[in-house]
Amino acid sequence: DYASSLLGLIPGARRATPGLKDLLALVNAYLPPEQVERIREAAEFGTSAHKGQTRLSGEPFIAHPVAAAAILAELHLDTDTIIAAILHDVIEDTPTPKDQLAQRFGADVAEIVDGVTKLDQIKFKSREEAQAESFRKMLLAMVRDLRVVLVKLADRTHNMRTIEAMAVPRRRAIARETLEIYAPIAERLGLYDLKLELEDLGFAALYPQRYRVLERALKRARGNQKEFLKKIEQQLTAALIKNEIVARVAAREKHLYSIYRKMRRKRATLNEIVDVHGLRIVVDKADTCYRALGSVHSVFKPMPGRFKDYIAIPRVNGYQSLHTTLFGPNGVPIEAQIRTEDMHRVAESGVAAHWKYKGGDA
Ligand code: MN
């Protein structure tokens, strides 16, 4: 959609705070006018409820929930979720009671806001991985409506985008919690884009020095690999066309935090990690995926033991794709994912797809 494609043109723009105008433009693109009007009313309600409150950055408080709502609007979520995001701090930070929200905006909105408020009251203390896992499970189990978690993730994402306003010790605590609790929850729910953003922002806030060094080295490595990757893409595209398969072939960029984690886990250097290339092939139907796999294997030999069929056996979060690793030119490994457009959408936005606005009474 238009607003997010514009944001994509400006590096770092996603980290800025979208205002009410941006939010309304986003929802206008997929919701009918009367629902956009309800969202505008919620923004007015929130603005007067939070009147006089400011964020650490000095801007009016309402800028935060509006920005969180914009993150969910980019996922085309339904009106109640957007309104709940706008009002998510109203019960906790203002004298507004839950009943009043229910009267003005309906029981669903009130329940979601109440759920987010209750989540905020559980404090995460432990650094132990095992306890982080049980915390994630508890958090997912205690919410009846998963939209509560979606609003919480948007809340956290905007807080991470603006974390510079916070003092360093608090910043580190929030960043650690983001990496240990919220990014894995986003992953569990299949919200891949949010997961990546939470990880990179968390990594940058927790280890700023490592982040900068790695970012610089990665930029250099990618510059050197451009031509090489282009050639592989062309070779594979040619093979697919020869077999009359219509496909989008694109290089997949690895993100800083996942590279960092891999380096630590495998005790590997940056070059060993970035030398493994990622490719994605998107086709029309499931059976085309298998034909595409055959074409790809005829160009580059597959690495034994690395093929995974997540189409026949999807992951728990609904993720589907074929995974294979190829021996590319000079034996350079290429990790390929093959999937349909539908599978691609689920891979990017996971459970959010279930609460997408579908029109009518869907
Ligand atoms: Mn908040």
Side-chain angles (χ1 to χ4, degrees):
D1 48 71
Y2 182 65
S4 44
S5 68
L6 262 188
L7 286 175
L9 292 176
I10 314 158
R14 282 180 60 91
R15 296 196 186 174
T17 296
L20 182 56
K21 251 194 183 160
D22 304 301
L23 172 64
L24 292 175
L26 280 169
V27 293
N28 221 345
Y30 73 95
L31 290 174
E34 67 275 11
Q35 301 205 27
V36 174
E37 190 45 40
R38 279 186 68 211
I39 290 168
R40 193 196 308 273
E41 279 165 26
E44 255 167 44
F45 185 93
T47 304
S48 74
H50 287 293
K51 203 177 179 111
Q53 299 175 348
T54 50
R55 301 201 87 213
L56 285 175
S57 60
E59 51 185 351
F61 187 86
I62 189 66
H64 159 65
V66 162
I71 290 169
L72 298 174
E74 285 188 42
L75 293 168
H76 287 196
L77 289 176
D78 67 7
T79 309
D80 283 346
T81 311
I82 304 295
I83 292 178
I86 295 172
L87 303 174
H88 80 264
D89 282 320
V90 155
I91 292 182
E92 194 163 9
D93 296 340
T94 81
T96 317
K98 182 181 167 189
D99 292 350
Q100 198 186 342
L101 289 189
Q103 260 166 30
R104 277 290 305 263
F105 301 103
D108 273 20
V109 168
E111 285 302 328
I112 298 170
V113 174
D114 191 47
V116 175
T117 309
K118 283 179 179 145
L119 277 192
D120 285 340
Q121 281 154 5
I122 326 171
K123 287 282 173 285
F124 170 70
K125 288 193 187 76
S126 147
R127 292 175 55 177
E128 301 262 341
E129 186 69 29
Q131 276 169 311
E133 172 60 23
S134 66
F135 184 91
R136 291 194 294 265
K137 277 193 185 137
M138 181 178 78
L139 196 152
L140 288 175
M142 67 171 279
V143 297
R144 262 172 299 167
D145 188 334
L146 265 180
R147 289 179 294 181
V148 169
V149 180
L150 298 178
V151 172
K152 184 62 207 167
L153 287 172
D155 170 46
R156 177 51 59 103
T157 303
H158 181 249
N159 282 334
M160 289 304 299
R161 287 180 189 175
T162 51
I163 201 166
E164 261 120 77
M166 246 174 236
V168 173
R170 178 109 183 93
R171 199 189 289 182
R172 291 178 57 88
I174 300 260
R176 177 168 287 127
E177 190 186 69
T178 299
L179 291 175
E180 291 184 0
I181 307 291
Y182 290 103
I185 285 176
E187 177 170 27
R188 176 91 136 252
L189 299 180
L191 293 150
Y192 197 64
D193 282 348
L194 276 192
K195 173 210 132 148
L196 288 177
E197 184 174 357
L198 286 172
E199 283 187 346
D200 276 1
L201 291 171
F203 179 36
L206 191 56
Y207 302 115
Q209 192 59 27
R210 297 176 207 187
Y211 184 90
R212 270 194 296 271
V213 170
L214 207 53
E215 189 183 35
R216 227 176 294 137
L218 188 65
K219 225 181 204 161
R220 214 176 315 128
R222 276 192 187 138
N224 298 336
Q225 291 167 351
K226 247 194 180 138
E227 282 306 304
F228 177 80
L229 270 177
K230 215 180 193 169
K231 240 180 239 158
I232 296 175
E233 272 176 57
Q234 282 166 350
Q235 262 175 288
L236 290 179
T237 306
L240 290 163
I241 290 172
K242 213 177 89 190
N243 291 311
E244 293 174 358
I245 297 169
V246 180
R248 283 194 286 130
V249 181
R252 225 156 24 90
E253 294 207 336
K254 286 207 179 71
H255 284 250
L256 278 181
Y257 186 62
S258 70
I259 291 171
Y260 172 71
R261 238 180 354 197
K262 238 184 199 170
M263 285 171 70
R264 296 203 66 171
R265 203 176 53 229
K266 300 191 169 172
R267 301 186 178 282
T269 65
L270 175 67
N271 283 337
E272 288 168 300
I273 305 291
V274 295
D275 278 350
V276 180
H277 300 287
L279 269 181
R280 176 170 305 133
I281 298 168
V282 180
V283 298
D284 57 349
K285 292 183 309 216
D287 62 283
T288 318
C289 292
Y290 295 94
R291 290 202 296 126
L293 180 76
S295 314
V296 162
H297 284 177
S298 71
V299 182
F300 299 116
K301 288 225 175 320
M303 218 174 260
R306 295 295 298 272
F307 171 68
K308 289 201 185 77
D309 187 345
Y310 292 117
I311 293 179
I313 306 165
R315 285 183 177 157
V316 276
N317 62 16
Y319 174 88
Q320 287 187 295
S321 279
L322 300 178
H323 287 190
T324 183
T325 303
L326 313 164
F327 290 108
N330 314 321
V332 173
I334 304 164
E335 293 171 354
Q337 302 173 339
I338 305 171
R339 56 174 71 146
T340 65
E341 291 286 355
D342 280 346
M343 293 172 193
H344 187 54
R345 265 191 294 275
V346 172
E348 306 261 279
S349 63
V351 296
H354 294 287
W355 279 284
K356 258 187 194 166
Y357 176 75
K358 292 170 192 97
D361 301 321

